[in-house]
Amino acid sequence: MDPSNQKHFTAADYVIFAVLLFASMGIGLYHALSGGRQRTTQEFLMADRSMSCLPVSLSLIASFQSAVAIIGVPAEIYTHGTQYWFIGCAYVLGLLIPAHVFIPVLYKLRLSSTYEYLELRFSKAVRICGTLTFIFQTVVYMGVCVYTPAVALNAVTGFELWGAVLATGLVCTLYTTMGGLKAVIWTDVFQTVVMFAGQLAVIVVGVHQTGGVSEVWRKVWEGNRISALNLNPDPTERHTFWTLGVGGVFLMLSLYGVNQAQVQRYLSARTEKEAVRSCYMVFPSLQLSLALSCVMGLVMFARYCGENHSDMLATSSKDAVVIYFVMDMLEGLPGLPGLFVACLFSAALSTISSAFNSLATVTMEDLVKPFFPAMTEARATLLSKALAMSYGLLCLAMAYLTHLMDVSVLNVALKLFGMVGGPVLGLFCLGIFFPWANSTGAMAGLGAGLALSFWVGIGSIFSGSSGMRPLSAGCRAALLLDNGTSAIHPPLGNFTLGYTDRTVCLFCFVVISQVDHLFLSFSKPSGLNRFYSLSYMWYSAFSCFTVILIGLIISFLTGPMKEEDVTPGTIYPLSGKLLCFLPEHLKKKLGCVTPHGQTLSAPRHKEGNRQALLQVDRTSQEETDRFLPDVQAALVEHETAV
């Protein structure tokens, strides 16, 4: 980077950044020395199941709101406009369904690892496959999360790249290893406050220096960054209302419904009621976080009018422009650049600490304990801490590999969640909603879902199918088409709007935009390239339905699971409600579950069914009676329809 364009930290900025790191360490040390001192796996991995809904909800936000989102969303808005904002519509069903379907089923089973459910419902082989899939997804994503803020900071300020990576990774590893899940959740609370404060400071100062709210609005409007509702049903269109509002629901379900990092927080709540409440409390905070990120992107555009600053930065990535904007806006205000960098690294710390703890949990519960059942509690706790530290070091190795990529981090992260999270979501939906699905169908469905999603995802990378062009730069509405339609340039290029009436200007812009769309329609990919052009927001839905479809077909071909073989408490009564019009003998044959959670014939379960699970059902029933005494327990337990 040109030294004349490089921004610099002041002493106050370094102090604020250091305070963040030391405060996070202090929280971890406090929880390491207080309470039970993390001497049991229940305390280290599950926080003794004693957390209230407020810290759990803030931790759920922090785990999702990574540095990828804080940098990637403003860069997306700056480049493509506000269409991405419509993903907020997906948050409604994306949180309601987990609150009323996944949490009631998983909480009553008193699990530590989400993937224990897969063994209860299917088999140990399905559980191990689900666990390995999650480990792969999370390890890769950790590298993106820890590397993203460091490379952006280095590109703008010259801050030592690997110094920032090591500081983030090591601090996070230490407080996660010392304090367990309690330390992770409470540092998430602190870091969430820092994140909101940093983003708000940048927006307030940016709006003031750009000339006020009206000036910002004028520039983003004339620069065509305020996107209208795009109802184009084409699944290859990168961002439309359908890809974001519908495809985004499946992305949210894969994160908030079955992802171990999030489910582990639900399971750490004191009661099921607290877990459901924490899910509800996430919604307004996620909307606020999305709004802050999008407004920040608009203020960036109003400041630079879409200019490309890659020639001034050490990277061509649009994500580094966010850091450049922050340092440019806050230059001369000691402490505020440090506050935003603290905000950025808070997001990174909260996400990777959640990843370390959840990875240690699934490895311990799914891959170690089943093969070493006689392991003592002290040794299991020590091994859990060693696993958390090992994953921390692996995260640093993944960060080194991530630097080879020079693409949008938001795009990469959401593609990864869709390619891997979608099939896992399909696997859980297959088990929870379809009583007749068997283990063979589950394995075949997961394999088919992963194969198809990776085929599409990797194919899109090599074919260069992006699905959307960046909007043109400038604070005036772009009236020129791209270079692919140069024959049309002369008449449009010489056309000047001489009207002051905004309605006429808008009409002219709409007409020219439609012409642009007409010419672009001729250049759409065809054949296999069109398949690769599927919007990455549809990856989760596409792979989820693939798993369910293949899983059901194979299950029926190999013999559907009998009702007496289904472990009680592992089915949500969706089929019994949707298929209420079928005759009783068909519903019985399909193993439909009634709203009271029992199959129609009230079967006698095999002696091999788990006595521990039956004890869990009794414990869950006692909890329900204690917290909701005026409601019939059977209805409370299963009448949770969206």
Side-chain angles (χ1 to χ4, degrees), residues 85-350:
W85 207 331
F86 285 106
I87 198 174
C89 300
Y91 292 174
V92 180
L93 285 179
L95 292 170
L96 275 177
I97 294 175
H100 291 282
V101 176
F102 293 106
I103 292 177
V105 171
L106 297 175
Y107 193 92
K108 287 180 175 66
L109 296 174
R110 308 293 288 179
L111 310 174
S112 294
S113 164
T114 315
Y115 305 98
E116 288 180 63
Y117 169 85
L118 297 177
E119 182 176 357
L120 292 174
R121 177 63 181 85
F122 295 117
S123 66
K124 182 174 288 186
V126 178
R127 175 183 180 178
I128 292 175
C129 288
T131 301
L132 294 177
T133 303
F134 168 76
I135 290 174
F136 168 77
Q137 174 193 21
T138 308
V139 166
V140 175
Y141 183 59
M142 279 195 308
V144 177
C145 285
V146 74
Y147 181 76
T148 296
V151 72
L153 191 64
N154 170 263
V156 178
T157 67
F159 197 97
E160 179 58 38
L161 172 62
W162 293 106
V165 169
L166 287 172
T168 308
L170 292 179
V171 166
C172 189
T173 301
L174 287 175
Y175 77 71
T176 305
T177 304
M178 291 190 302
L181 185 60
K182 280 185 180 177
V184 171
I185 289 177
W186 282 110
T187 50
D188 283 352
V189 173
F190 165 69
Q191 289 157 3
T192 301
V193 174
V194 175
M195 278 190 280
F196 285 146
Q199 286 181 295
L200 196 58
V202 171
I203 290 171
V204 170
V205 175
V207 169
H208 175 72
Q209 293 191 9
T210 306
V213 175
S214 59
E215 183 65 12
V216 170
W217 175 258
R218 184 186 67 81
K219 288 184 176 180
V220 297
W221 175 263
E222 294 180 351
N224 193 28
R225 270 5 183 225
I226 304 299
S227 304
L229 185 64
N230 184 354
L231 295 177
N232 184 357
D234 185 358
T236 64
E237 190 80 17
R238 185 168 174 266
H239 287 163
T240 67
F241 173 78
W242 306 113
T243 59
L244 295 165
V246 180
V249 170
F250 290 88
L251 178 66
M252 291 294 294
L253 290 179
S254 69
L255 288 170
Y256 281 91
V258 299
N259 187 281
Q260 171 69 22
Q262 309 293 59
V263 173
Q264 192 171 342
R265 279 147 182 73
Y266 302 143
L267 301 179
S268 70
R270 287 192 293 251
T271 65
E272 180 185 328
K273 189 177 179 181
E274 293 273 337
V276 172
R277 188 180 296 163
S278 68
C279 196
Y280 274 109
M281 292 176 68
V282 169
F283 179 77
S285 302
L286 275 182
Q287 293 288 2
L288 174 62
S289 175
L290 177 64
L292 288 175
S293 296
C294 292
V295 170
M296 187 173 158
L298 293 176
V299 176
M300 277 175 55
F301 181 82
R303 172 72 174 181
Y304 299 125
C305 294
E307 295 173 10
N308 186 358
H309 290 270
S310 59
D311 55 334
M312 296 190 300
L313 304 174
T315 175
S316 60
S317 174
K318 294 287 185 184
D319 305 309
V321 176
V322 179
I323 300 291
Y324 182 85
F325 163 73
V326 170
M327 298 299 296
D328 186 32
M329 283 285 94
L330 303 181
E331 197 171 25
L333 299 172
L336 287 185
L339 177 63
F340 181 79
V341 171
C343 152
L344 195 59
F345 279 85
S346 289
L349 287 170
S350 63

Side-chain angles (χ1 to χ4, degrees), residues 111 113-132 365-367 370-371 427-428 430-432 435 437-446 555 561 565-567 570-571 609-610:
L111 310 174
S113 164
T114 315
Y115 305 98
E116 288 180 63
Y117 169 85
L118 297 177
E119 182 176 357
L120 292 174
R121 177 63 181 85
F122 295 117
S123 66
K124 182 174 288 186
V126 178
R127 175 183 180 178
I128 292 175
C129 288
T131 301
L132 294 177
E365 297 293 331
D366 299 333
L367 303 180
F371 299 99
L427 187 62
F428 276 88
L430 185 67
I432 290 175
N438 61 25
S439 175
T440 306
M443 290 286 286
L446 179 62
S555 294
M561 182 172 279
D565 293 332
V566 178
T567 305
T570 58
I571 301 292
N609 274 346
R610 308 171 192 281

Side-chain angles (χ1 to χ4, degrees), residues 363-396:
T363 305
M364 191 68 204
E365 297 293 331
D366 299 333
L367 303 180
V368 177
K369 279 188 176 181
F371 299 99
F372 300 95
M375 183 181 294
T376 63
E377 185 66 24
R379 181 169 294 181
T381 305
L382 185 62
L383 181 57
S384 298
K385 294 181 178 181
L387 285 170
M389 181 171 288
S390 301
Y391 279 118
L393 298 177
L394 180 60
C395 167
L396 298 179

Side-chain angles (χ1 to χ4, degrees), residues 504-563:
V504 177
C505 294
L506 179 60
F507 172 76
C508 294
F509 173 71
V510 169
V511 171
I512 295 171
S513 296
Q514 292 302 316
V515 175
D516 182 48
H517 178 74
L518 178 64
F519 278 92
L520 284 175
S521 64
F522 290 106
S523 62
K524 283 186 176 180
S526 58
L528 203 56
N529 282 336
R530 182 163 176 78
F531 184 60
Y532 293 148
S533 299
L534 180 71
S535 170
Y536 66 93
M537 292 300 298
W538 283 116
Y539 284 6
S540 287
F542 172 66
S543 53
C544 175
F545 281 115
T546 299
V547 172
I548 293 173
L549 182 62
I550 298 298
L552 290 177
I553 291 173
I554 299 299
S555 294
F556 279 113
L557 290 177
T558 57
M561 182 172 279
K562 297 178 181 178
E563 53 185 330

